[in-house]
Amino acid sequence: MEPIDKVEIVLFILWRLDTWQLVLPRDLVVVPRGGPGTKDECKDGGWRTFAFPRTFKNQGDSIQFVNTRK
C-alpha cells in the first residue's frame, strides 16, 4: 500500500459559557489514495484486486493508472 501523503483533520472551536472549547470529531477516518502504486502490483492478476478509487478493465488499464493516477 502506498504511504499516505496528506491528512486533513477538521476541528471545531466553539465559544461557549464564556470560554473557548475545542471539539474533536468522534471518529477519525483516514482514506488512502487507493489503487496500485507500482506496475508490479498490476501484474499476475493484481489489477483485479483493486476497487478503490475504481476498478480496472485489464493489466494495461491498471498500469496506465500507475503512470497517470487517472
Side-chain angles (χ1 to χ4, degrees), residues 9-52:
I9 300 174
V10 178
L11 303 174
F12 300 96
I13 301 174
L14 303 174
W15 179 257
R16 192 170 173 192
L17 302 174
D18 295 325
T19 185
W20 289 102
Q21 293 181 344
L22 177 63
V23 180
L24 299 172
R26 279 189 85 190
D27 300 311
L28 178 63
V29 177
V30 177
V31 179
R33 280 177 50 180
T38 67
K39 294 176 185 179
D40 286 337
E41 291 181 84
C42 299
K43 295 178 181 176
D44 299 320
W47 62 273
R48 291 185 179 100
T49 64
F50 295 98
F52 179 81

Side-chain angles (χ1 to χ4, degrees), residues 39 42-45 47 56-64:
K39 294 176 185 179
C42 299
K43 295 178 181 176
D44 299 320
W47 62 273
F56 299 99
K57 294 180 261 183
N58 53 43
Q59 181 175 312
D61 185 30
S62 180
I63 290 173
Q64 182 179 9

